[in-house]
Amino acid sequence: MCGVAVVSAAQPYRRQFDDQWKKADEIVREHHQSWEAVFTSLDADSRVCEAIVFPEILRWSKLKDVFEQAALKDRYIKEGTAGADFSIGLFQMKPSFAEKVEKAWMKSPLCREYGLFFDLQDTDHARSQRIRRLSDGNWQCVYLAVFVRLMYEREPSIAAKPEDEQISILATAYNRDFHAPLDSLRRWAEVPTFHLDILPSKSTQYYPYAAIAAERIRTYKFKH
């Protein structure tokens, strides 16, 4: 990357981010029990799910999220992702991500196994329902669990890899491209494109998203 500050992970990210890491950890602890119930209902590992989105929680801003949700609703409902495609909620999910996950899920036998179905019609009503779901914390957990299940279904080999590598692949797919092949995800995992600034500037420092997620799962402390 040219013209941006890239930070080395010589020391653990939890030390580099310090207060932000602690605040994000507090958010996860506050919601862990309710999130775990949703993840478990879809047979997704809560440790994996929470690690994948931990970098997003590090960067999340309540004030920014309020504005983005307000700006997203009308424009997306009327025009789709061509009109607006902002990241919203603690897990910073875009409507385009939800659309891709819903389409893949509806093609998978998992949708019938779990009795979870989505309206894929290109209508104001379907988009309105999608925004309603994305604005709800429990539904973001559903989308995340569905994403994880679909990734393991698409690439069964992921499950046999060491935990750090699993998280690296899944987190990169979540952050970059849900449909990308494994080779691309492995390459992208090492590229520092993630930052914690609300608005990036010349002094913005960039980090590999996957590395932060992998460190999070290594320091996971909740008991099952």
Side-chain angles (χ1 to χ4, degrees), residues 125-202:
H125 176 73
R127 289 191 290 270
S128 175
Q129 292 301 303
R130 186 170 297 118
I131 290 299
R132 180 187 61 80
R133 289 191 294 269
L134 285 173
S135 301
D136 180 271
N138 283 340
W139 265 106
Q140 287 217 346
C141 288
V142 171
Y143 277 117
L144 179 57
V146 165
F147 159 79
V148 169
R149 293 300 309 274
L150 288 170
M151 285 295 297
Y152 281 120
E153 180 190 54
R154 191 190 89 190
E155 300 285 354
S157 64
I158 295 175
K161 299 182 185 301
E163 190 171 67
D164 275 15
E165 189 174 350
Q166 289 187 46
I167 293 300
S168 180
I169 292 170
L170 295 171
T172 303
Y174 182 81
N175 178 245
R176 292 289 298 269
D177 186 354
F178 172 46
H179 292 307
L182 280 180
D183 286 347
S184 296
L185 294 176
R186 291 192 187 97
R187 288 197 306 272
W188 293 341
E190 299 178 3
V191 180
T193 59
F194 181 75
H195 64 83
L196 298 185
D197 296 347
I198 293 178
L199 293 173
S201 66
K202 290 182 179 179

Side-chain angles (χ1 to χ4, degrees):
M1 296 179 64
C2 182
V4 298
V6 177
V7 176
S8 168
Q11 59 176 297
Y13 288 112
R14 64 186 182 279
R15 292 182 184 171
Q16 290 187 49
F17 303 145
D18 197 17
D19 287 345
Q20 286 170 292
W21 190 282
K22 291 174 183 175
K23 288 177 182 177
D25 189 60
E26 288 174 4
I27 290 172
V28 175
R29 288 177 179 278
E30 178 185 348
H31 295 282
H32 172 71
Q33 189 171 2
S34 61
W35 288 355
E36 185 176 43
V38 179
F39 299 144
T40 301
S41 72
L42 289 161
D43 295 312
D45 189 331
S46 62
R47 296 173 67 253
V48 170
C49 290
E50 290 175 5
I52 289 170
V53 295
F54 192 75
E56 301 291 4
I57 299 172
L58 273 175
R59 186 166 65 177
W60 180 76
S61 161
K62 185 175 182 179
L63 181 61
K64 179 173 179 284
D65 191 47
V66 168
F67 284 117
E68 288 187 334
Q69 289 201 35
L72 179 65
K73 287 180 181 177
D74 287 341
R75 291 178 61 188
Y76 173 72
I77 291 170
K78 293 176 182 176
E79 305 173 44
T81 55
D85 193 28
F86 305 129
S87 300
I88 62 172
L90 270 173
F91 299 168
Q92 290 293 278
M93 291 180 173
K94 294 181 178 180
S96 58
F97 170 80
E99 289 179 3
K100 290 176 184 177
V101 168
E102 289 178 12
K103 288 177 184 176
W105 181 257
M106 291 299 288
K107 292 178 181 178
S108 167
L110 291 170
C111 72
R112 292 180 291 279
E113 180 180 342
Y114 289 93
L116 175 61
F117 304 95
F118 297 103
D119 180 359
L120 302 182
Q121 297 180 83
D122 186 19
T123 63
D124 289 2
H125 176 73
R127 289 191 290 270
S128 175
Q129 292 301 303
R130 186 170 297 118
I131 290 299
R132 180 187 61 80
R133 289 191 294 269
L134 285 173
S135 301
D136 180 271
N138 283 340
W139 265 106
Q140 287 217 346
C141 288
V142 171
Y143 277 117
L144 179 57
V146 165
F147 159 79
V148 169
R149 293 300 309 274
L150 288 170
M151 285 295 297
Y152 281 120
E153 180 190 54
R154 191 190 89 190
E155 300 285 354
S157 64
I158 295 175
K161 299 182 185 301
E163 190 171 67
D164 275 15
E165 189 174 350
Q166 289 187 46
I167 293 300
S168 180
I169 292 170
L170 295 171
T172 303
Y174 182 81
N175 178 245
R176 292 289 298 269
D177 186 354
F178 172 46
H179 292 307
L182 280 180
D183 286 347
S184 296
L185 294 176
R186 291 192 187 97
R187 288 197 306 272
W188 293 341
E190 299 178 3
V191 180
T193 59
F194 181 75
H195 64 83
L196 298 185
D197 296 347
I198 293 178
L199 293 173
S201 66
K202 290 182 179 179
S203 62
T204 292
Q205 298 176 332
Y206 290 81
Y207 312 86
Y209 185 99
I212 298 172
E215 180 169 326
R216 171 59 184 176
I217 204 164
R218 286 196 299 272
T219 60
Y220 194 96
K221 301 218 177 132
F222 294 116
K223 294 181 180 179
H224 286 267

